[in-house]
Each structure stands twice: as structure tokens, then as C-alpha cells.
Amino acid sequence: MKNTITTFQSMKDNHKPIAMLTAYDYSTAKLEDESGINGILVGDSLGMVMLGYDDTLKVTMEDMIHHTKAVSRGAKNALVVADLPYMSYHVSVEQAVQNAGRLITEGGAQAVKLEGGAEFTHEVRAMTRASIPVMGHLGLTPQSINAFGGFKVQGKTLEAAQRILDDARALEEAGVFALVLECIPAAIAEKISSELRIPTIGIGSGAGCDGQILVYQDMLGLYGDFTPKFVKQFSCAGNVMKEGFDAYIKEVSERTFPAPEHTFSASDDVLDKLY
Ligand code: KIV
């Protein structure tokens, strides 16, 4: 059964934790979907884990549409949410709605996500008016890395925690269907989750959130450039892949691959007549 924003709300209402992961391509989305993941985020983290940038700021709408199309084809049951990249919703409400619409109509996503608080409630309202479900994202919002001065835990002081709670309320009021809370202290995330009617999806924000999300390369051990403290590695797929690559290179260099069973034969008749 296809997960929808209504599924997410009823999971929160029934105290059932929501499991989300990122994906950026067809085969990964299909594997996650077959495992029963509730939602897949085509995150602009793809700039780092797929494209090798240092941050998410260079990701374009074209990048997002390209990867969202692939994920949508692989996700039969998971809710597909696509990130609005940096500068795709900051210029005007019209620009925001148009770009959100492209992720739905061209990318095939069921919802979009944007980073930021009360300052984006006009955009959220305009998108929901256009029947585009919007997920919010507060706390460590990577598109603001230059404003934050690095990837740092957010909401540690009373003032900062109050700002996040106020932003969460404003976004809920504006119509977001769920809210990502990234890298904020667990007790603050738990308080926000209990205050809001909509589900919160935590990343680095403790077990009190209504759901969790991780970047799949982080949780499978596929991305070694930087591993945040909050990541748990659920498998060592990077090592498994390297073992496979090593074995392939060895067999090619020793001429043991391809073996007869991987090879197509020609009849002697054809061979005899070749000149
Ligand atoms: O881009 C992304 O992958 C995200 C998640 C980490 C929440 O925004």
C-alpha cells in the first residue's frame, strides 16, 4: 500500500514510529521500498554523497528532478519527498511554487521539503494552496552552513531552542505535514514532538521524535568522507563492495573471469566459414 501524508499522520496518532531513509537512484529506492521503508527523501545531500561536493549549496533543480525521477520509479509503496535545493525557493513565492510543482510533475515526488522557519510560511501556504504537501526542516539546516559557520548542533541555548519551537509552531500552522528536526538536543526535540500535531522526523535529535531519517550511505558505511556522531552504521556495505571490486579485479587479471558459464558459444560451422 502506498504511504501518503495521511499514513504519516495516522502513524503519529497511533504512536507508530515512522522510518525514512534517503535515496537518489532507482535500484536503491527499490531495495528500500522492498524492505518496507515508510518514506524516501531525495535529499539535496546528494550533492555530497552522490556528486562529491563539500556541501549541498551547488545542487540545482535539474539535479533534484533527475534523481527524483529515478527514485519515484523505484518506490512503489514509500512516500517520496524531494528537497527544494538552495536558492530554488528563496527569491519569491512564485519561484517557490513553480519549483515545488516541478518536483511533483516532472520528478514524480508526492511532497517537497524546504529548510527554514517562520520566514517561509508564505511559501508553505502558497504550495499547500497548490495541493503540494510540504515537509519542513529545522535545526541544523545544511543550506545555511555559511550562516551557521559550520555543521553544528542547534538549539542549545534557551533563546535558540525557543526560536526552533516557535518556528515549528509557525510551520505547522502554515500547513506542513511533517517536520524534520536535525541535530538539536533530544529533550528539545521531544518537547517539540509532543507539542505538535504533525509528525516530527529526527536526524541526530534523539528517540523522542515521531520518526527517524538517515542518509543511506552513512547508515550502510558507504561514505567515509565524514561521519556525524549521530550516525549508527547498520552494515558495512562499503567493505562488502570493496571485497567484490577486489575479487573482480583479481579474476580479470588472472583470466579466471569470465568463465565458460558467462560466455556465449558459436557453432563450429560459423567458425569454419569465417575468413
Ligand atoms: O538532504 C538530506 O538528506 C536531508 C536529510 C539529512 C534530512 O535533508
Side-chain angles (χ1 to χ4, degrees):
M1 270 262 291
K2 186 76 179 167
N3 283 261
T4 64
I5 62 167
T6 315
T7 320
F8 272 39
Q9 187 59 54
S10 72
M11 287 180 80
K12 163 130 186 172
D13 296 342
N14 292 302
H15 310 288
K16 276 187 78 180
I18 300 166
M20 289 190 73
L21 283 171
T22 63
Y24 316 97
D25 65 84
Y26 171 77
S27 11
T28 311
K30 194 158 181 279
L31 286 171
E32 291 178 3
D33 199 69
E34 286 166 0
S35 294
I37 201 80
N38 299 118
I40 296 179
L41 172 70
V42 189
D44 60 356
S45 49
L46 70 84
M48 297 172 78
V49 295
M50 299 296 289
L51 304 178
Y53 298 141
D54 289 338
D55 53 45
T56 59
L57 301 179
K58 295 185 193 68
V59 175
T60 64
M61 273 302 296
E62 268 50 51
D63 292 331
M64 291 308 306
I65 289 169
H66 177 73
H67 288 273
T68 304
K69 278 182 179 171
V71 168
S72 302
R73 288 190 283 263
K76 297 282 170 271
N77 296 315
L79 176 77
V80 176
V81 183
D83 256 343
L84 278 158
Y86 183 54
M87 277 299 141
S88 70
Y89 57 99
H90 303 72
V91 178
S92 67
V93 171
E94 288 72 19
Q95 179 217 25
V97 178
Q98 263 165 11
N99 282 326
R102 289 188 68 196
L103 291 172
I104 306 287
T105 57
E106 297 176 47
Q110 277 86 58
V112 302
K113 174 166 82 58
L114 58 76
E115 297 182 8
E119 67 279 16
F120 286 107
T121 49
H122 290 302
E123 285 75 4
V124 172
R125 283 208 171 83
M127 288 176 202
T128 48
R129 211 167 31 243
S131 300
I132 301 170
V134 186
M135 179 179 262
H137 185 161
L138 293 173
L140 171 51
T141 45
Q143 292 175 12
S144 304
I145 183 180
N146 290 324
F148 290 151
F151 292 107
K152 293 179 187 155
V153 177
Q154 301 295 308
K156 287 187 96 162
T157 63
L158 171 60
E159 197 194 356
Q162 188 62 55
R163 200 173 328 116
I164 295 174
L165 179 55
D166 292 345
D167 279 338
R169 289 180 178 134
L171 287 171
E172 177 175 77
E173 169 69 21
V176 299
F177 76 91
L179 182 61
V180 169
L181 296 175
E182 179 161 356
C183 266
I184 64 175
I188 310 292
E190 191 170 350
K191 161 102 178 136
I192 295 171
S193 305
S194 67
E195 288 265 326
L196 297 189
R197 193 187 50 81
I198 56 164
T200 59
I201 309 292
I203 173 162
S205 299
C209 296
D210 303 303
Q212 298 293 327
I213 184 164
L214 285 175
V215 170
Y216 89 84
Q217 283 90 343
D218 288 342
M219 52 82 72
L220 291 185
L222 289 171
Y223 179 75
D225 290 6
F226 168 67
T227 308
K229 168 186 156 77
F230 58 78
V231 168
K232 175 173 174 181
Q233 211 171 295
F234 287 82
S235 89
C236 301
N239 291 344
V240 174
M241 285 174 76
K242 276 193 194 150
E243 277 166 29
F245 298 148
D246 290 345
Y248 168 75
I249 292 165
K250 183 167 180 287
E251 290 199 18
V252 169
S253 63
E254 290 170 350
R255 295 191 190 281
T256 49
F257 175 83
E261 66 268 27
H262 309 118
T263 308
F264 303 101
S265 57
S267 71
D268 289 345
D269 194 36
V270 172
L271 269 179
D272 289 347
K273 288 186 181 135
L274 275 181
Y275 59 91

